[in-house]
Amino acid sequence: MTADDLATLTGRPSNEVAPWLGPIEAAMTEFQINTPAREAAFLAQTVHESDGLRAVAENLSYSAGRLPVVWPRHFYLAPDEPDGRLDASLFEHHPEALANVVYANRMGNGPESSGDGWRYRGRGLIQLTGRTLYTEAGAALQLDLVNDPDALLQPVAAARVAGWYWQRVNGNALADPATAQSFEQLTVAINGAVLGQAHREQLWKQAQTLLSAEA
């Protein structure tokens, strides 16, 4: 794989994505992502999840109208009835307050007042989220992600944690068949649902072509 390959997959200039090349290759080696089928699937999923290696921190700046769509159990927008939900207009483009509400008391996070929702929001190439996963990944990789979650904004840690999470969800086993069905199962394992599948599959096919050309 070359910086030009990453540029093709991300749609960005090669000099912008070049800093990611070494860390991604090292992570693939560390976690036995070592066949064309595994490499293509890993690249497709991580490039999609990170918006072309651009977004290594979760974007939680939402409009009021979008909040009830994304988190219908948490927010309402007038003239709807509250039904125990919160007024979406109060959280419009307030990412820290939003994260502390929607991620409170789940994924190992404390209550809203703890600030864990914001502290352990999605970061890295596969958007690691929640205190539990930060703790597990940090322990496995000997990184203090609990006290330094922003370490995941840097290419080396972001790529290694992506590799660790890939291993955690049995990514290699799901990637090996290289079928549309297994790739969809991989998406669910990583994301929790089949979201953005058309784009993931487009990237997957691009990566397969690039890697086969180098073989």
Side-chain angles (χ1 to χ4, degrees), residues 16-40:
E16 290 184 6
V17 297
W20 287 97
L21 181 61
I24 288 174
E25 289 186 322
M28 290 196 295
T29 298
E30 182 176 1
F31 293 98
Q32 293 80 52
I33 305 168
N34 52 11
T35 67
R38 294 175 180 184
E39 291 170 357

Side-chain angles (χ1 to χ4, degrees), residues 35-59:
T35 67
R38 294 175 180 184
E39 291 170 357
F42 181 78
L43 288 169
Q45 294 288 352
T46 53
V47 167
H48 174 85
E49 289 286 326
S50 64
D51 188 24
L53 308 179
R54 294 179 183 86
V56 289
E58 185 178 8
N59 180 7

Side-chain angles (χ1 to χ4, degrees), residues 100-112 114 116-117:
N100 285 332
V101 166
V102 298
Y103 292 147
N105 300 308
R106 35 184 305 236
M107 302 178 292
N109 293 340
E112 179 183 350
S114 72
D116 282 353

Side-chain angles (χ1 to χ4, degrees), residues 189-213:
I190 290 171
N191 189 264
V194 183
L195 296 173
Q197 191 65 6
H199 184 239
R200 294 174 201 263
E201 289 184 358
Q202 176 189 335
L203 292 169
W204 183 40
K205 291 173 182 175
Q206 279 187 299
Q208 288 172 324
T209 299
L210 290 168
L211 292 168
S212 65

Side-chain angles (χ1 to χ4, degrees), residues 129-204:
T129 308
R131 177 186 277 268
T132 295
L133 286 178
Y134 274 73
T135 301
E136 289 181 13
L141 302 176
Q142 298 185 349
L143 299 172
D144 189 5
L145 298 179
V146 172
N147 292 308
D148 185 18
D150 280 342
L152 281 177
L153 304 181
Q154 301 305 315
V156 172
R160 286 192 75 207
V161 168
W164 170 83
Y165 191 76
W166 177 271
Q167 183 183 69
R168 188 178 188 273
V169 300
N170 296 314
N172 284 337
L174 290 169
D176 284 345
T179 64
Q181 181 180 9
S182 64
F183 188 72
E184 183 174 300
Q185 291 171 339
L186 181 57
T187 297
V188 174
I190 290 171
N191 189 264
V194 183
L195 296 173
Q197 191 65 6
H199 184 239
R200 294 174 201 263
E201 289 184 358
Q202 176 189 335
L203 292 169
W204 183 40

